Amino acid sequence: PINKDHKISEELLKRIDKEITYILNSAYIEAKKIINNHINQLHMIASHLMEFETLSEQKIKELINKK
């Protein structure tokens, strides 16, 4: 454990854990928003990948801009 060689109080460890949890939860929420806002493009790309297995950068840009 981190506390073995360094003198860090339990209170500080709890505050660090709380902050890390907050950062991770915020990032998760933001990632979900981005995915939900672009779900149609995501499904379109997934569908084309299932059919063609690979997509060029140009094809991905075309699919994303189709909306």
Side-chain angles (χ1 to χ4, degrees):
I2 194 170
N3 209 11
K4 183 179 178 187
D5 297 325
H6 299 89
K7 301 287 187 210
I8 299 176
S9 70
E10 286 297 318
E11 180 182 334
L12 180 56
L13 288 173
K14 287 179 184 177
R15 287 175 49 201
I16 292 169
D17 283 345
K18 186 176 179 180
E19 186 66 21
I20 290 170
T21 299
Y22 172 78
I23 292 168
L24 291 174
N25 285 337
S26 296
Y28 175 77
I29 290 167
E30 184 64 23
K32 279 185 69 172
K33 272 192 235 176
I34 292 168
I35 289 170
N36 287 329
N37 288 340
H38 300 283
I39 195 71
N40 292 336
Q41 290 97 334
L42 176 63
H43 285 297
M44 192 177 302
I45 289 170
S47 175
H48 278 75
L49 282 171
M50 293 292 290
E51 185 176 349
F52 301 109
E53 293 185 16
T54 61
L55 297 173
S56 68
E57 177 183 354
Q58 178 65 29
K59 186 63 177 176
I60 292 171
K61 286 179 180 178
E62 287 174 21
L63 293 171
I64 289 173
N65 292 324
K66 248 185 191 179
K67 296 182 182 182

